[in-house]
Amino acid sequence: MEKHVELADFNNDGLRNRRDKDSISEAKGADFDRDRYELARVGKEQVLKRRFGLVSMTGLSCGLMCTWESLLVIFLTGFQNGGPAGLIYGFILIWLGNFSVFICIGELASAVPTAGGQYHWVSLLAPRSNKRFFSYITGWLTVIGWIAALTSVCFFVSDLVLQLATLNNPDTYVRENWHATLLLWAVLMLCVFINVFISGALPTIEVVVLVMHVLGFFGILVPLVYLSPYHNTAKAVFTTFNNKGQWPTQALAFFVGLQGNALAFVGTDSVVHMSEEVKNASTDVPRSMLMSLGINGTLAIGLLIAVLFSATGLEALLLDLDSPLSPFIRIFQQSVGSKVGTTIMVSIIIALEFCSAMGCLAAASRMTWSFARDKGLPFSKALSIIDGRSTIPVVAICVVTVFAALLSLINIGNSAAFNGTISLVLEGFYLSYLLAIGLLFWRRVRGDLDNQNDELNVFNSSPYHPECYDRSLTWGPWRLKGKLGVANNAVAICYLLLIIFFSFWPTQINPSAELMNWAVVVTGGVATFSVVYYVIYARKSYTGPVVDREAVLKYEQGTL
């Protein structure tokens, strides 16, 4: 067994309990790199270039979430089960729940700002006897969730383009499933080009995306409200509930309809997986997530209310399932009374959804690269390669793209099966959040974290494994303290359990194969595969987040 790296006791140099950048910089010298130090503290070497700041990362997160845009695309889900009032109150519930969840995620990201995110935190927080297993399952759920998310966003883009073709050529254009798949591949290729060949400009692009995201909102809102010939009453909007799924109670229908609103907030943790490319990551990653939630939630609730007030005959319009056009496109056409105006409004959403796909590929590739770096995926050595000139994981970007393209082939044969496959998005993300936040709550209640007195040194030499030290999580500079933090932790867990439970429900009683929610089958299949692969092979190679010995030694010697 190899000899362990012994870490210095920071009592000797006065660094213990000094988390602020100025204090540490003074102790370490003017050339001290806080971000490199934070990575080395958890056993990782800085290999990616830190290009992003708070504004550009907020732009990436806002653009990737695409909350107000996605809310329009999946509008029907909440309207069928919930109705106008259910959509509004459900949105507020989901919005507040996500604030609670991402305050917890922000605390973890501040403590351990690595691209691995959830699986790394689970490894640190779980009991030693099963930390490798829980970490491995969390990593697989997150990787597959991000690939499914990339596929679904690219599909939204291709689907909306084809719907515009149908809108403007209703008599000549006949849509086929393979059209959407080919167009999806084209969207993927364009995303790869931007992420690989002009990656250096990505932070600037994301700032532009943030501006477009806000201006695009007004580009939709103003004509929708101003040109609509009819406006519903406040009573009709805020007191009308629907139960089109024929559930036993209206309350049950309301909770089933939450899926749509929940999907609109997927991708908030993209910043976490980009954290090794963010300057001042331990504070700006949590801030950018909460800023994104604030911006996107405010825009989305405004547009949701505008749509509900402006649409005429909304119920009949939305329940016309034979129409080749999405409900929101018909609402636009009804409001502005023009195909040209509708085309321009939908084109704004297509452009912003493409920006979401571009950011989604960046986050998915970083998550895949990080998990491969820790030997959690097959062919990890190749997947963890970083291109020397661009300092980005080009191989991981290409592999994620290929798997998304292969996943889209399902749409050619069976669109219902394809929708079931990409339904893994919500479950994959939320289950990974639940594991990390649940373990954080367990540690908090036990008092394990508070007993460390916010020490900088998170390593304890242990015979557990020569390549993976027994590391205990310590708080970063950003967190909720005391009972307030524990209470928020509990609220986040309750919210996640609620959404995960109802995310497996179909939209109506006794659904057909096309209306069935296949999420339970897909999620169960991924979980089963990962468990079997772990038992047969990965348990011999996967030991949790791998500690870079050279980074640890530099951390110990103060030479970062």
Side-chain angles (χ1 to χ4, degrees):
M1 184 175 291
E2 298 180 26
K3 183 178 179 181
H4 287 280
V5 177
E6 298 294 336
L7 296 173
D9 185 346
F10 285 84
N11 273 328
N12 295 331
D13 59 14
L15 287 177
R16 191 182 293 268
N17 293 325
R18 298 169 68 183
R19 295 297 308 228
D20 61 283
K21 186 173 181 178
D22 293 337
S23 298
I24 299 176
S25 298
E26 182 181 350
K28 287 285 188 178
D31 295 331
F32 177 73
D33 187 334
R34 168 65 179 270
D35 293 308
R36 190 181 296 272
Y37 175 86
E38 292 286 355
L39 268 185
R41 189 173 58 85
V42 293
K44 298 296 181 185
E45 184 181 3
Q46 180 73 54
V47 293
L48 302 177
K49 187 175 180 179
R50 295 191 181 269
R51 300 180 174 93
F52 291 89
L54 178 61
V55 176
S56 57
M57 190 47 57
T58 302
L60 184 143
S61 182
C62 280
L64 193 152
M65 290 165 65
C66 248
T67 303
W68 67 262
E69 302 91 332
S70 300
L71 199 62
L72 291 173
V73 176
I74 55 182
F75 189 79
L76 186 60
T77 303
F79 187 84
Q80 287 181 316
N81 293 294
L87 273 167
I88 293 173
Y89 303 135
F91 182 89
I92 294 172
L93 173 63
I94 296 294
W95 192 14
L96 295 176
N98 272 277
F99 265 113
S100 178
V101 168
F102 284 98
I103 286 173
C104 297
I105 296 294
E107 291 176 315
L108 291 167
S110 180
V112 184
T114 68
Q118 294 94 304
Y119 81 86
H120 198 142
W121 306 330
V122 166
S123 178
L124 296 178
L125 293 166
R128 181 182 299 182
S129 59
N130 48 30
K131 63 169 59 183
R132 287 191 295 171
F133 175 75
F134 281 132
S135 174
Y136 184 79
I137 298 300
T138 304
W140 266 94
L141 284 171
T142 311
V143 168
I144 298 299
W146 272 109
I147 293 175
L150 174 62
T151 310
S152 64
V153 175
C154 291
F155 178 76
F156 284 161
V157 175
S158 63
D159 181 60
L160 290 177
V161 170
L162 294 179
Q163 287 194 57
L164 282 186
T166 301
L167 172 69
N168 290 282
N169 304 279
D171 299 323
T172 58
Y173 176 66
V174 179
R175 178 171 174 172
E176 301 289 345
N177 284 351
W178 61 269
H179 295 173
T181 298
L182 281 180
L183 194 52
L184 188 154
W185 287 357
V187 173
L188 278 173
M189 291 301 100
L190 188 53
C191 289
V192 171
F193 176 82
I194 293 172
N195 272 272
V196 173
F197 295 104
I198 55 175
S199 59
L202 202 56
T204 304
I205 292 173
E206 295 301 343
V207 174
V208 175
V209 169
L210 180 59
V211 175
M212 289 174 53
H213 183 66
V214 177
L215 293 181
F217 165 77
F218 290 103
I220 300 294
L221 182 73
V222 173
L224 184 66
V225 174
Y226 182 74
L227 297 177
S228 178
Y230 176 83
H231 292 90
N232 294 308
T233 64
K235 182 178 180 180
V237 171
F238 290 101
T239 63
T240 303
F241 291 87
N242 287 343
N243 183 4
K244 301 302 180 182
Q246 300 180 339
W247 300 104
T249 65
Q250 181 60 58
L252 183 57
F254 170 79
F255 285 114
V256 171
L258 290 177
Q259 297 177 44
N261 283 324
L263 282 168
F265 283 99
V266 163
T268 311
D269 66 318
S270 58
V271 187
V272 170
H273 306 299
M274 299 293 293
S275 60
E276 294 184 36
E277 297 170 68
V278 180
K279 299 171 185 176
N280 199 23
S282 58
T283 55
D284 282 354
V285 165
R287 288 173 182 169
S288 62
M289 286 191 289
L290 295 185
M291 286 174 63
S292 300
L293 281 173
I295 294 170
N296 275 10
T298 302
L299 298 180
I301 191 67
L303 191 66
L304 177 60
I305 293 174
V307 168
L308 293 174
F309 268 99
S310 302
T312 307
L314 189 58
E315 185 168 344
L317 186 68
L318 292 179
L319 296 181
D320 180 13
L321 302 180
D322 295 328
S323 174
L325 301 177
S326 293
F328 82 92
I329 296 180
R330 284 176 278 153
I331 291 172
F332 287 176
Q333 188 175 15
Q334 182 190 72
S335 298
V336 301
S338 164
K339 284 186 179 181
V340 174
T342 302
T343 300
I344 294 172
M345 293 169 73
V346 175
S347 296
I348 293 173
I349 295 175
I350 291 173
L352 292 170
E353 287 284 0
F354 171 76
C355 294
S356 174
M358 181 177 63
C360 200
L361 177 58
S365 62
R366 271 54 168 191
M367 174 62 210
T368 302
W369 163 77
S370 180
F371 199 39
R373 173 178 61 176
D374 291 323
K375 302 180 181 179
L377 294 172
F379 309 106
S380 290
K381 187 174 181 179
L383 281 171
S384 59
I385 292 175
I386 294 293
D387 180 70
R389 289 191 299 176
S390 60
T391 62
I392 58 172
V394 174
V395 176
I397 290 173
C398 294
V399 169
V400 166
T401 303
V402 168
F403 274 96
L406 292 175
L407 192 60
S408 69
L409 287 173
I410 301 173
N411 183 60
I412 297 177
N414 190 319
S415 59
F418 175 71
N419 291 332
T421 303
I422 63 176
S423 68
L424 179 66
V425 174
L426 189 61
E427 289 76 15
F429 285 134
Y430 272 43
L431 285 169
S432 70
Y433 301 158
L434 181 62
L435 281 167
I437 294 174
L439 287 167
L440 176 64
F441 180 70
W442 174 62
R443 290 290 188 183
R444 260 180 155 149
V445 170
R446 281 166 49 101
D448 294 344
L449 302 177
D450 294 330
N451 291 338
Q452 297 175 68
N453 297 320
D454 295 339
E455 294 172 1
L456 282 173
N457 187 4
V458 299
F459 294 93
N460 294 305
S461 188
S462 165
Y464 174 59
H465 193 279
E467 297 295 337
C468 188
Y469 300 92
D470 180 25
R471 303 176 301 284
S472 57
L473 186 85
T474 55
W475 293 119
W478 194 96
R479 70 177 175 113
L480 281 183
K481 297 182 179 180
K483 294 181 180 179
L484 182 60
V486 176
N488 178 70
N489 223 158
V491 169
I493 291 171
C494 292
Y495 165 76
L496 289 171
L497 288 172
L498 175 71
I499 300 303
I500 290 170
F501 177 71
F502 282 105
S503 67
F504 292 111
W505 288 49
T507 56
Q508 65 183 43
I509 291 178
N510 302 319
S512 62
E514 290 188 357
L515 295 177
M516 180 62 187
N517 187 340
W518 296 100
V520 64
V521 177
V522 177
T523 305
V526 170
T528 301
F529 172 80
S530 59
V531 169
V532 171
Y533 185 79
Y534 178 83
V535 171
I536 295 175
Y537 177 76
R539 65 185 178 89
K540 303 172 185 176
S541 60
Y542 182 72
T543 59
V546 175
V547 172
D548 188 297
R549 289 174 173 269
E550 184 177 350
V552 170
L553 285 170
K554 290 179 180 178
Y555 167 84
E556 178 192 19
Q557 297 164 0
T559 58
L560 290 166

